[in-house]
Amino acid sequence: MNLQDKVIIITGASSGIGEAIARELSAAGAKLVITARRQERLQTLADSLPGESALLCAPIEDSSTPGRLLELALERFGRVDAVINNAGIFVAGSVDTMDLDAMSQMVRVNFDAVVRSSYVFGREFKRQGSGAIINVSSIAAYLSSSSVGVYSGLKHALEIFTSNLRVELAKSGVRVGSIAPGTTETEIFDHMRTEGAPVRADQTPPLEAADIAHAVRFMLEQPDRANIAKILLVSAKESV
Ligand code: NDP
């Protein structure tokens, strides 16, 4: 796909990986719909992008958000070509310490919202006979360690869901794939450090958000006949 004038939705665009993806795809000529909850951060990003963008400030777990994103893209740009489901949070805790309400919010944001968005855009892409869905999972999908079981489990489920959706939509001209980053220097990563997650010294220096953004662009820029179904992108020092 040549990204010039393509219309791409990016969730979780107010910081970290989502923000880097927005910068990368805008520089490649794409028109963007960016979303997150922090309006000011989104506006600052939109003002600094080289290309056109529209923004929606909304909680991603609100069931109406994916539909609103689709409507905004159609109203502003007349079509939509890809969605990057990137928004996510990290909540860790042991059996004794887990904040169960925060954990449930993570289930809504990291899985339910991604699945809803995948279906809303999957329907639109199937109707138009083209489109790409990229879901951001994590290396955690493949690891087992104490205190991060729910985060890992949700990312694992997301990998399996994404793989099944790829198969379901393969004959419709819709490409579906996932990218699983390793430790990446973002606000979530800072949070992981303070939550005592197993972020180890030998995994540093971690990736930078721009590294993930380059890979997402690479996934999108494949010719129509090629679909990168899965990328596991880790720090060169990652040892798990
Ligand atoms: P950041 O915390 O920098 O970014 C998270 C983004 O998600 C923000 O834009 C935030 O915006 C948005 N977000 C969070 N909750 C909501 C919500 N309820 N509604 C709408 N938007 C929300 O972290 P990263 O960039 O690191 O994370 C991006 C993705 O990458 C996540 O899915 C994460 O799991 C994944 N990942 C990250 C890794 C890392 O080491 N950093 C490693 C592997 C995967 P706002 O707060 O403004 O709503």
Side-chain angles (χ1 to χ4, degrees), residues 21-176:
I21 293 171
R23 293 192 188 286
E24 177 84 33
L25 300 185
S26 182
K31 297 173 178 171
L32 305 181
V33 175
I34 53 177
T35 185
R37 291 164 304 176
R38 287 172 290 178
Q39 171 107 32
E40 225 173 82
R41 297 277 290 256
L42 283 180
Q43 192 60 58
T44 304
L45 173 63
D47 291 344
S48 69
L49 292 174
E52 281 182 79
S53 63
L55 63 87
L56 177 72
C57 184
I60 199 69
E61 72 276 19
D62 187 315
S63 60
S64 68
T65 298
R68 291 176 66 201
L69 287 167
L70 176 59
E71 273 171 31
L72 179 58
L74 296 178
E75 182 190 301
R76 180 76 188 272
F77 301 119
R79 59 176 292 114
V80 56
D81 298 288
V83 60
I84 317 298
N85 291 309
N86 162 77
I89 57 175
F90 176 80
V91 178
S94 67
V95 167
D96 299 318
T97 62
M98 179 67 91
D99 175 337
L100 297 184
D101 290 335
M103 184 197 73
S104 294
Q105 170 69 355
M106 181 169 67
V107 175
R108 287 189 285 270
V109 172
N110 289 18
F111 188 72
D112 185 68
V114 181
V115 170
R116 290 188 77 95
S117 172
S118 298
Y119 280 130
V120 166
F121 288 97
R123 284 173 191 166
E124 177 68 11
F125 293 159
K126 194 173 173 186
R127 195 190 55 71
Q128 69 187 19
S130 67
I133 299 170
I134 295 179
N135 293 334
V136 178
S137 86
S138 170
I139 188 177
Y142 305 107
L143 304 177
S144 298
S145 63
S146 63
S147 84
V148 292
V150 183
Y151 180 82
S152 292
L154 294 171
K155 293 298 191 181
H156 190 81
L158 188 56
E159 287 276 336
I160 306 297
F161 165 75
T162 303
S163 181
N164 280 269
L165 190 65
R166 174 182 63 78
V167 171
E168 179 181 338
L169 294 178
K171 290 195 170 62
S172 314
V174 183
R175 293 184 297 171
V176 183

